[in-house]
Amino acid sequence: MSLIQHIIDGQLTKGQSTETTPVFDPAAGEQTNEVLVGTPADIDAAVESAKRAFQQWSKTPPTKRAAVMFRMRDILDRRRDEVATTISREHGKTHDDALGEVTRALDVIEYACGIAENLKGDFSRDAATGIDVCGERQAIGVVAGITPFNFPAMVPLWMIPMAIACGNCFVLKPSERDPSSANLIHALYEEAGLPPGVLNVVHGGKVAVDSLLDHKDVQAISFVGSTPIAEYIYTRGCASGKRVQALGGAKNHMVIMPDADLDQAADALMGAGFGSAGERCMAISVAVPIGEETADKLVEKLTPRVEALKIGPYHQQGAEMGPVISRDAQTRIKGLIDQGEAEGAQVVVDGRDLKMPGYESGFWVGGTLLDHVTEKMSVYKQEIFGPVLSVLRADSYQQATDLINAHEYGNGTAIFTRDGDAARDFAANIQVGMVGVNVPIPVPVAYHSFGGWKRSIFGAHGIYGPEAIHFYTKLKTVTTRWPTGIRSGAEFTFPSMK
């Protein structure tokens, strides 16, 4: 068993931490490591390191910052199996799923490689007689990221490349449940030539989070997690005068029209609902078939697929789904299934009593399919964040869209149909930030931006892509006039370009 330490100013350190928290192998249910719990003093040290590094890093030409990103891209690509294994050991997701996470992280690093182009300003000559105007985007200083357990490499690498490519310095507070990926990311960036202090890692829980939110030298906070915590991060961070982007929870629906290819829809629901044991903010957790005939056929196709899910530890050949992250998560998910059944949902496939031979103490929940779910049930209202797919039958397309638009979350959604008119109407009028048409998990590519609507996000900017450039920089506009030998005397009217 090893101790996972902070990384401050390029050095592994215990800092002022005296407390630790256990890190588990979710498949075995056994403790494998322990991680330090950061103190306010540790946050102070990390922020001070980033603040010192900012003086030089912010003045480093964008092309040289991009060169670090190019090297990081090559290193991560070469060592993707190592990173994926590190993810899987502490999170529990399958190796192939972890490799997909690494690939998505690489996409954002590749986008950050083009930072010189994306930071180009604008210029207007002779905006008025003898006056030129230019606009430029400048780094904002020390920024921080608070990241979730479900994507311990991808989400930090949605934030870090964009932030530091823009010239900022970064303090990362990763999830204490699977912290090793964060330290490995730092090691890879160090190999890529990132100077000490540009990226710092402080582990811990609420004390570390609050210290970042309140710190006078932290200019911006990025967060991904549950909605209650996102709202807390946003409220407290804004009260401290910071920029905040806080991405929260989700209840993602897939509408299945009567004309849809039901085999395609069922396969899509399997991956979107049960991949990573449903521990994704973009997981499809609610299938909304239109009409009883469509619903009956869909459930008929889903049932054997859910029953046949290949569940096992991450290293097991052919495993499609692993355990959930913790004993608490396992208990909560099973409790919600119990509650759904008590409220009238039909448990078509029951994953509550799954036993994994050789891993009996692991945090296992089998794939679960619930039918005849209604909008009044707890399993519909709450984000389960587990391998549970609910079928909520709708009488019409209008009822389905009204249902989605009425939900407090608006992260992602999808429609499966052959009807272009229905698809176009759905994309235009659904009140959700990310929409898929025959695409079950509509996570945007890296040169677009990720972000939901309603209570799935707090703050004005999405994460990565063009939105990240605006979040991690501030606009400065410079108006210039050089002496020409002509004096016109003092002017007391409001300046204009006439």
Side-chain angles (χ1 to χ4, degrees), residues 47 119 169:
V47 173
L119 284 182
C169 293

Side-chain angles (χ1 to χ4, degrees), residues 365-427:
V365 180
T368 298
L369 179 63
L370 304 179
D371 195 7
H372 298 287
V373 172
T374 72
E375 62 267 34
K376 296 180 180 179
M377 294 179 182
S378 300
V379 289
Y380 177 72
K381 293 178 181 178
Q382 297 183 36
E383 183 180 29
I384 299 175
F385 223 61
V388 181
L389 178 63
S390 298
V391 177
L392 196 157
R393 298 166 177 240
D395 294 331
S396 65
Y397 168 79
Q398 189 63 52
Q399 182 187 357
T401 55
D402 288 347
L403 183 80
I404 297 169
N405 287 340
H407 205 285
E408 65 172 325
Y409 296 132
N411 205 46
T413 190
I415 186 170
F416 271 60
T417 183
R418 292 184 173 95
D419 187 332
D421 183 54
R424 190 171 188 275
D425 180 84
F426 187 82

Side-chain angles (χ1 to χ4, degrees), residues 217-286:
D217 290 324
V218 175
Q219 304 302 315
I221 298 278
S222 298
F223 170 83
V224 176
S226 69
T227 285
I229 305 302
E231 187 169 23
Y232 172 81
I233 296 285
Y234 181 75
T235 302
R236 186 159 178 165
C238 289
S240 298
K242 303 182 190 330
R243 293 185 181 189
V244 182
Q245 53 176 194
L247 282 69
K251 197 71 178 179
N252 304 321
H253 304 68
M254 180 196 287
V255 175
I256 300 96
M257 298 292 285
D259 69 337
D261 182 325
L262 290 185
D263 284 308
Q264 181 190 44
D267 288 340
L269 282 166
M270 290 301 298
F274 299 108
S276 198
E279 293 175 323
R280 297 171 176 164
C281 70
M282 287 295 283
I284 295 292
S285 56
V286 184

Side-chain angles (χ1 to χ4, degrees), residues 324 326-338 364-365:
V324 296
S326 67
R327 184 76 65 202
D328 286 346
Q330 180 191 46
T331 300
R332 180 183 54 79
I333 293 163
K334 289 183 177 181
L336 280 167
I337 299 170
D338 291 342
W364 301 98
V365 180

Side-chain angles (χ1 to χ4, degrees), residues 6-11 45-51 53 142 160 169-174 186 194 196-202:
H6 314 305
I7 306 176
I8 298 174
D9 207 31
Q11 300 295 319
V47 173
E48 184 58 33
S49 170
K51 189 178 176 182
V142 179
I160 295 166
C169 293
F170 203 93
V171 178
L172 173 63
K173 206 301 289 181
H186 184 280
L194 192 69
V198 176
L199 172 61
N200 302 271
V201 180
V202 179

